[in-house]
Amino acid sequence: MNQIGHHITAASMAAAGAACALPYCDVTQIVVGVIAALGGASAPDWLEGAFRIPLTGKTIRLIPHRTLTHLPWIWAFTILVGISHLPSAWGIAVAAFAAAGLLHLAMDLLSPMGIPLLIPFAARTSLHGYRVGAISEAVTIIATSGTFVAIAAAIFSQA
């Protein structure tokens, strides 16, 4: 999935999270959560340390793509670390950042390239839910975002 798709799905997830948190958190805590989720949306990719060599235009990654930063269990553990520190702003930020990172992996799991599930350099698993750049990718983004927005709307309508 492209980075725009990762950010759209994370933003809609943040809206649903904000709707759930509204009765329990103040505005500052919700803003921290939303900003952290937006930062985590593409974190599995930018944490690889990619940079472009100016003269050649070649991209170099310090960590190979979809290896160490694309392990679901690391992100799930990080969510638990954040949850263990709730309701502090730090706990909210860590949990929201990691939840968006885990959503990124879920979206990548649906792509043909897939992700490693347990071991970073092992074979990747793919559910083949969409083709990158095809209409199926846009449908996946819309369906995922629509689900989160529907959750947020349902919660807000009950408030």
Side-chain angles (χ1 to χ4, degrees), residues 1 6 8 14-15 21 27 43 47-48 57 60-61 64-65 70 73 78 110 112-113 121 123 125 129 134 148 151 157:
M1 179 169 289
H6 285 305
I8 290 169
V27 173
L47 284 171
E48 294 168 344
I60 302 291
R61 293 178 189 274
H65 189 50
H70 281 67
W73 59 268
T78 306
L110 294 171
M113 193 173 181
F121 298 98
T125 301
F148 283 126
I151 291 167
S157 70

Side-chain angles (χ1 to χ4, degrees), residues 2-17:
N2 64 44
Q3 294 306 313
I4 294 171
H6 285 305
H7 283 95
I8 290 169
T9 56
S12 60
M13 182 189 71

Side-chain angles (χ1 to χ4, degrees), residues 59-97:
T59 299
I60 302 291
R61 293 178 189 274
L62 300 176
I63 298 171
H65 189 50
R66 292 195 185 185
T67 58
L68 293 170
T69 63
H70 281 67
L71 293 172
W73 59 268
I74 291 174
W75 293 93
F77 176 77
T78 306
I79 291 169
L80 293 176
V81 169
I83 289 171
S84 73
H85 289 85
L86 292 178
S88 72
W90 184 86
I92 292 167
V94 170
F97 182 88

Side-chain angles (χ1 to χ4, degrees), residues 65-66 108-116 123-128 130 132:
H65 189 50
R66 292 195 185 185
D108 282 356
L109 180 64
L110 294 171
S111 76
M113 193 173 181
I115 61 168
R124 296 178 184 148
T125 301
S126 170
L127 299 179
H128 298 284
Y130 66 86
V132 177

Side-chain angles (χ1 to χ4, degrees), residues 1-2 4-6 8-9 107 129-146:
M1 179 169 289
N2 64 44
I4 294 171
H6 285 305
I8 290 169
T9 56
M107 296 289 96
Y130 66 86
R131 284 186 40 224
V132 177
I135 191 72
S136 57
E137 181 179 27
V139 169
T140 302
I141 293 167
I142 291 167
T144 303
S145 298

